[in-house]
Amino acid sequence: MQLTDAQLWAAALAVLLPPVIAIVNQPRWSGAVKGLFMLLVAAGDGLGTAYFNDQFTGKSIVTCMLTAVIVIGVAYHTLWKPSGIAPGIEAATSTGGRPSGPTSV
């Protein structure tokens, strides 16, 4: 099966999305919430790439979304998580939930 331009763009963008997702994700969120957010981002990736490549039809949209889901997951677990980049971004952009210890001057 030959990949379409929209699918290739969805995959290329999906490789770069885990750090962007990490900006929004919070360490205190459950794995299910983080996974749901990733699926929403992948859906946006698939919809956008299909639309901007003039391939906004049912099958093309679904394949772009599925391509984005797979590539985001693989890229996160093989590149961004082991390197510590995505978890570092997530920790750095966390809002609250940090232990408040005594401050020394």
Side-chain angles (χ1 to χ4, degrees):
M1 181 174 121
Q2 188 90 9
L3 293 176
T4 65
D5 285 345
Q7 292 167 342
L8 292 172
W9 277 109
L13 183 59
V15 170
L16 304 174
L17 283 174
V20 176
I21 293 170
I23 292 171
V24 177
N25 277 349
Q26 299 294 304
R28 65 183 181 277
W29 289 358
S30 69
V33 173
K34 290 179 181 183
L36 181 61
F37 182 69
M38 184 274 296
L39 289 174
L40 290 172
V41 171
D45 179 4
L47 286 168
T49 54
Y51 178 77
F52 288 112
N53 282 282
D54 294 325
Q55 297 177 9
F56 203 70
T57 62
K59 182 179 177 183
S60 181
I61 294 169
V62 171
T63 55
C64 286
M65 284 187 208
L66 292 175
T67 301
V69 167
I70 292 167
V71 174
I72 287 172
V74 169
Y76 177 76
H77 287 288
T78 60
L79 174 66
W80 298 107
K81 185 178 180 181
S83 68
I85 294 171
I89 292 171
E90 191 174 303
T93 60
S94 175
T95 58
R98 295 182 183 163
S100 58
T103 59
S104 59
V105 179

